[in-house]
Amino acid sequence: VSFISTSLFVLFLLQIMHVLLPLLISMEQKFKTDGLGLSNRDAMNKDRISELPDALLLQILSSLPTENAIATSVLSKRWRSLWTMLPKLKFDCDFNPVFDDDNIDPHMFSENVYRTLTLHKAPVLESLHLSFEGRTDCSDVGIWIATKGGPTYTIRGQVTCFYQEDQTVTLPSVLFSYNDTLEILKLKCAIDLEFPSRVCLKSLRKLYLYQVHFKDEDSVSNFLCGCPSLEDLVVHRYSNADVATFTIAAPSLQRLTIEDLRQEGGYGNGGYVINAPALKYLNINGFIDIESCLIDKALELVEAKISNVSDIANENILESLTSAKRLILHLSPLEIKVPTGKSFDQLVCLELLTHEREWWNLLSIMLDSSPKLQILKLTDIYLHDNKKNLDERKWNPPKCAPECLLFHLETFVWIGYEWQRGDEKEVATYILENARRLKKVTFSTKRIEGEKLEKLEKRREMLNELASVLWDSYSCHLVFEST
């Protein structure tokens, strides 16, 4: 960058002055008390910002877009090479404060990134962010990052690579062949990954993969097996053109999020194999037309959320969660198999959805299988009238009151309670009649307009009926809300 526009310069000074104003006031007061005898005009004209230490100036520059930070090199000799020690670099091909996008040379962004990385001198880079799209010449994107990924250079904090067009970019495997300092890696959108051999990312703790494409199943395995310190993994998949079985083998993994929204027509017989013995938090959303999800026993599991899962042909997906303390199950009991004879003996908090067909069958099984359950939350994510004919089906309650209702359940919450539905009334009545340790019950119902007096009166009668069936109304706090 060989010049700086007036508007850019003003923007830069405004951001600096916002940070430094208290410091400048303090310096001004000290200057007056020193009695140096200079006029106020001389004090005003003095370049005090340039006298600040490098560490503070670099902290200020790091808060600016990299293009702006580089532009400060024309301010004075003091600023000429200051930007080269920036601990964070962020390049966004959409950002150009001077020119209109239509006037940008499509090769300019690529050349500027490469030149910046070449001139950059900081021994440790805490963050590197690249955001580029199809009009950019990105064939050398691997070289961009590899320029700062060599054995004499340390990328310690985070690398983010974000691509925004339909065509794909290939990141060379050599980029990940050896790095013992990188801690966070984010790859997003239309990035191809091919790993014929195992990578080496010894310090990588967090990995985020958004719509990236692996060449084959070995590439997935070689990538994850080369991250021995991995603790947090996020996988978002939306495309059908990917591997059939996504194997996650990570002994140190503690948090796993999978969002699979692949459309019909993908790998119908594919799925996931999860081997993470240290897993504590699991969030799975999706699996459209996927028949299998194999999860090895997660003995340290604390919380799991399973949403929108359909066509699961085996019981493994729930059976592997029996050690969880908190479960959120947003799924249909008609579309997955529930393990029989298994006990969720560590479960203390359970959340289920009530808008799925025959949702109460899953509730019955979970109540019988969760002897220590303390918190039960039922939620209907649809608050409009879309529940026609649901009250025609009958719920068959457990023959004997479950152990959790008799001895442990303390909190019962129902969000979106449809008080006109017979099935919901039956379930609510059963729980209130049999739960003998309840301390707080909350029913949240759909708001009724004030002019509909008839409905208001009927709902009031319903609420009074529920209150009357409480096992011990004196020790339980009953709350009714309108949503």
Side-chain angles (χ1 to χ4, degrees):
V1 178
S2 59
F3 64 90
I4 180 171
S5 69
T6 303
S7 60
L8 183 57
F9 181 61
V10 171
L11 174 64
F12 168 71
L13 287 183
L14 285 176
Q15 295 190 52
I16 289 184
M17 292 304 296
H18 176 72
V19 176
L20 296 183
L21 185 57
L23 179 61
L24 291 177
I25 294 175
S26 176
M27 293 176 63
E28 179 71 19
Q29 292 175 347
K30 184 177 184 302
F31 181 80
K32 289 181 178 180
T33 58
D34 289 343
L36 297 178
L38 294 178
S39 66
N40 289 336
R41 171 178 286 185
D42 292 337
M44 292 293 294
N45 292 334
K46 189 173 183 180
D47 182 9
R48 294 175 182 169
I49 294 179
S50 296
E51 295 179 357
L52 295 174
D54 286 357
L56 180 55
L57 291 177
L58 287 173
Q59 184 177 357
I60 296 170
L61 292 181
S62 296
S63 66
L64 302 175
T66 299
E67 291 87 346
N68 283 3
I70 296 175
T72 63
S73 62
V74 302
L75 292 176
S76 67
K77 184 178 180 180
R78 170 75 170 84
W79 296 82
R80 185 173 302 168
S81 60
L82 187 62
W83 72 268
T84 63
M85 300 300 292
L86 282 171
K88 299 179 180 180
L89 297 177
K90 182 176 181 179
F91 303 96
D92 190 339
C93 67
D94 288 334
F95 178 82
N96 194 311
V98 181
F99 300 108
D100 184 49
D101 282 347
D102 294 337
N103 297 325
I104 299 177
D105 185 336
H107 300 286
M108 181 183 300
F109 178 73
S110 175
E111 294 175 358
N112 287 341
V113 171
Y114 185 78
R115 186 186 306 115
T116 301
L117 292 178
T118 303
L119 296 176
H120 193 247
K121 300 176 182 179
V124 175
L125 187 60
E126 296 178 1
S127 175
L128 175 60
H129 177 99
L130 294 174
S131 178
F132 45 97
E133 56 185 27
R135 61 177 175 78
T136 304
D137 181 11
C138 50
S139 58
D140 54 356
V141 61
I143 301 177
W144 292 351
I145 309 177
T147 301
K148 290 306 179 187
T152 61
Y153 197 87
T154 300
I155 302 179
R156 182 174 58 195
Q158 172 177 319
V159 171
T160 302
C161 196
F162 177 34
Y163 191 57
Q164 305 180 37
E165 287 293 325
D166 293 335
Q167 58 179 312
T168 58
V169 174
T170 300
L171 295 184
S173 59
V174 67
L175 180 62
F176 308 95
S177 60
Y178 183 82
N179 189 313
D180 59 359
T181 58
L182 183 64
E183 297 179 356
I184 303 174
L185 178 61
K186 297 182 180 181
L187 303 175
K188 185 174 182 180
C189 296
I191 295 176
D192 283 337
L193 297 176
E194 178 181 357
F195 302 105
S197 58
R198 181 177 297 186
V199 305
C200 185
L201 299 173
K202 291 184 177 181
S203 299
L204 192 68
R205 296 183 297 105
K206 298 182 179 181
L207 175 61
Y208 304 90
L209 304 174
Y210 298 93
Q211 303 182 56
V212 301
H213 303 283
F214 286 90
K215 181 182 179 181
D216 48 34
E217 296 178 8
D218 288 340
S219 293
V220 177
S221 178
N222 289 333
F223 190 19
L224 297 180
C225 289
C227 307
S229 302
L230 189 62
E231 299 176 356
D232 191 347
L233 174 62
V234 177
V235 179
H236 284 209
R237 301 172 75 195
Y238 300 94
S239 173
N240 294 328
D242 206 346
V243 298
T245 302
F246 201 100
T247 302
I248 300 173
S252 61
L253 190 64
Q254 297 183 19
R255 291 179 175 269
L256 174 60
T257 298
I258 299 176
E259 183 170 342
D260 191 321
L261 301 180
R262 288 180 291 171
Q263 298 177 354
E264 186 174 356
Y267 289 105
N269 58 349
Y272 293 84
V273 174
I274 302 173
N275 183 3
L279 193 64
K280 291 182 172 60
Y281 300 93
L282 175 64
N283 186 349
I284 298 178
N285 180 28
F287 296 166
I288 305 301
D289 290 332
I290 298 177
E291 296 182 357
S292 64
C293 177
L294 301 177
I295 307 176
D296 283 354
K297 202 72 171 180
L299 299 179
E300 299 184 24
L301 195 63
V302 175
E303 179 177 305
K305 179 178 180 180
I306 312 297
S307 308
N308 302 320
V309 175
S310 62
D311 296 334
I312 300 298
N314 57 63
E315 301 177 359
N316 175 270
I317 193 170
L318 288 184
E319 184 177 344
S320 59
L321 308 179
T322 53
S323 61
K325 294 179 175 61
R326 296 190 295 272
L327 275 181
I328 304 173
L329 303 178
H330 292 180
L331 44 83
S332 170
L334 300 179
E335 295 176 335
I336 76 165
K337 288 187 177 181
V338 180
T340 56
K342 298 294 182 180
S343 175
F344 293 82
D345 54 3
Q346 301 298 318
L347 190 65
V348 296
C349 182
L350 173 66
E351 178 179 337
L352 299 178
L353 286 187
T354 64
H355 71 276
E356 297 284 0
R357 292 176 62 86
E358 300 186 21
W359 59 272
W360 53 79
N361 290 332
L362 180 59
L363 173 64
S364 297
I365 294 174
M366 294 304 298
L367 289 178
D368 276 334
S369 306
S370 310
K372 299 180 181 179
L373 189 66
Q374 299 177 18
I375 302 173
L376 175 61
K377 182 177 180 181
L378 304 178
T379 303
D380 193 335
I381 59 176
Y382 301 107
L383 296 180
H384 48 78
D385 297 327
N386 67 332
K387 307 159 185 173
K388 297 180 180 179
N389 301 323
L390 289 180
D391 58 346
E392 296 179 359
R393 297 188 301 275
K394 298 296 182 180
W395 177 51
N396 294 319
K399 295 180 180 179
C400 299
E403 181 180 345
C404 63
L405 296 185
L406 297 176
F407 302 108
H408 297 286
L409 190 68
E410 297 180 351
T411 303
F412 177 38
V413 179
W414 198 321
I415 305 297
Y417 180 74
E418 185 60 47
W419 53 276
Q420 294 177 311
R421 281 175 52 181
D423 60 315
E424 291 192 351
K425 181 180 178 180
E426 291 176 1
V427 173
T429 301
Y430 177 82
I431 293 177
L432 296 181
E433 285 181 339
N434 292 278
R436 304 186 180 186
R437 296 290 187 270
L438 278 176
K439 295 181 179 179
K440 185 175 182 180
V441 176
T442 302
F443 286 95
S444 177
T445 63
K446 181 181 177 182
R447 185 182 300 275
I448 298 178
E449 300 299 331
E451 62 272 11
K452 299 180 181 179
L453 298 179
E454 182 179 355
K455 282 192 173 182
L456 284 172
E457 183 62 30
K458 288 184 178 180
R459 187 176 67 176
R460 186 178 297 109
E461 293 176 0
M462 174 274 301
L463 297 178
N464 289 334
E465 289 179 8
L466 290 177
S468 66
V469 300
L470 266 175
W471 172 263
D472 188 351
S473 59
Y474 295 101
S475 63
C476 180
H477 181 47
L478 188 59
V479 179
F480 296 111
E481 301 175 340
S482 293
T483 302

